[in-house]
Amino acid sequence: MEPFPDQFTEFHPIHGTNVILDRSGTQATRVESFANGVCFSKHPLKPGEIFLIEIEDKELGWCGHLRVGLTARDPGGLDVVPEYSIPDLTDVGDSWVFAITRNHNKVIEDPGAEGEEAGQGGLAGGHRLGRGEVEGLLGDGGDVNQRGGNNSKPKTFFTDSHLYIENVRIPRDKLVGRSRPGRFSHILDDLYKTNALPPTARRSRIGVLYVQKGRDLADMHIVINGEDMGASAKGIPAVQPLYAVVDVFAATKCVRIVQVEYGFSSLQTLCRKAIQKHIVHRMAIDWLELPEALKHYCKYE
């Protein structure tokens, strides 16, 4: 896939009535209630372009979490922003939105069902897999690859510099959540890297993108802390512009867009990567004789 130029990613000025955007247009906060938190990307996504957000704040007392997806509806053309992304927006049609759950939204392919048609936000040839259900599929001596999965491969969160989805190549550096600097940061960082924490935890990073499948169709993928969850929706018509949907719903209070570098890494990023290769964990940067500003940058502060 040819790389496309970096562009500053923002939320659309059209959004739910309970949402306030910051001045940069990159942070969305639901100020009251638990609904009317639907937001959109300001511009349609290009094929392979990820719309990546980080959960900044949560609110106790509500059930349910963040919802993300895609819509072919131009936000500027909506008479009223739906109260809920599910089912209000999806019922209008041309929208594919999923709730982010503690089960990580994993999709396992089922080759025996490849001929099925995907419904609105549905799957063709696959099913959702709760975290920990892989073992149940394997049984005694079973092979998950018989169901189309790929879990026999060792995870490479610590070594791969990019995430590959079909012909899409995304720098992994920005995809993984990171803890706030503190005494146990090195432990928490590893939990984000291995996607062991609930995806709705604070600082988790969740992205949505689509990859083209033929001339006029596409598959939507959800990425959680650097791990591709598979094709959440298949056979999406890609002849119309597709906007990202982020529903700041219920227990999710505030989200922030994370900018992703697709081209050559900046000098700062290259310096950070070089330093990180020679340290035990992120907080060990404090022990190095480096300018304070560089230390903060290397610790993602």
Side-chain angles (χ1 to χ4, degrees), residues 27-262:
Q27 182 171 287
T29 304
R30 195 188 69 255
V31 293
E32 62 182 19
S33 182
F34 61 92
N36 285 302
V38 178
C39 303
F40 307 93
S41 58
K42 186 174 183 179
H43 303 287
L45 301 184
K46 303 179 182 70
E49 178 186 7
I50 189 168
F51 191 85
L52 183 66
I53 58 98
E54 180 178 289
I55 297 176
E56 287 278 287
D57 197 11
K58 299 177 69 175
E59 186 173 25
L60 299 176
W62 301 114
C63 294
H65 293 279
L66 185 75
R67 298 164 174 186
V68 301
L70 297 172
T71 183
R73 302 277 173 174
D74 183 347
L78 294 175
D79 294 330
V80 178
V81 176
E83 183 176 6
Y84 305 99
S85 59
I86 306 172
D88 297 359
L89 182 62
T90 54
D91 282 353
V92 174
D94 295 329
S95 299
W96 304 266
V97 183
F98 291 92
I100 303 302
T101 71
R102 292 180 63 88
N103 290 333
H104 284 45
N105 300 75
K106 190 72 175 179
V107 173
I108 294 297
E109 296 299 320
D110 188 350
E114 285 181 354
E116 297 178 6
E117 293 292 331
Q120 194 71 7
L123 295 172
H127 68 278
R128 292 197 173 279
L129 176 69
R131 193 162 183 83
E133 291 180 22
V134 172
E135 292 78 5
L137 283 175
L138 287 173
D140 294 329
D143 185 356
V144 74
N145 286 325
Q146 294 175 359
R147 299 295 297 271
N150 198 24
N151 293 292
S152 60
K153 291 184 179 180
K155 291 185 177 181
T156 53
F157 294 100
F158 299 97
T159 57
D160 281 0
S161 61
H162 289 77
L163 173 67
Y164 295 88
I165 303 174
E166 302 287 343
N167 61 339
V168 174
R169 181 174 180 264
I170 309 171
R172 193 185 291 277
D173 182 55
K174 293 293 185 71
L175 297 182
V176 183
R178 299 175 181 91
S179 64
R180 297 187 186 279
R183 183 176 180 183
F184 301 106
S185 291
H186 60 292
I187 298 174
L188 290 172
D189 285 350
D190 286 347
L191 295 178
Y192 284 113
K193 287 178 181 178
T194 55
N195 216 359
L197 291 174
T200 53
R202 284 185 179 86
R203 313 282 282 188
S204 278
R205 294 186 177 183
I206 300 163
V208 62
L209 72 153
Y210 69 93
V211 295
Q212 289 185 309
K213 306 291 285 188
R215 181 188 293 267
D216 298 329
L217 298 176
D219 289 352
M220 182 183 83
H221 287 249
I222 293 174
V223 176
I224 299 177
N225 286 318
E227 183 180 0
D228 173 26
M229 297 293 108
S232 297
K234 292 188 173 185
I236 295 175
V239 292
Q240 295 176 282
L242 294 172
Y243 294 81
V245 179
V246 176
D247 190 351
V248 188
F249 176 71
T252 301
K253 177 77 171 176
C254 177
V255 299
R256 174 181 62 87
I257 294 175
V258 179
Q259 307 296 328
V260 179
E261 297 175 344
Y262 293 93

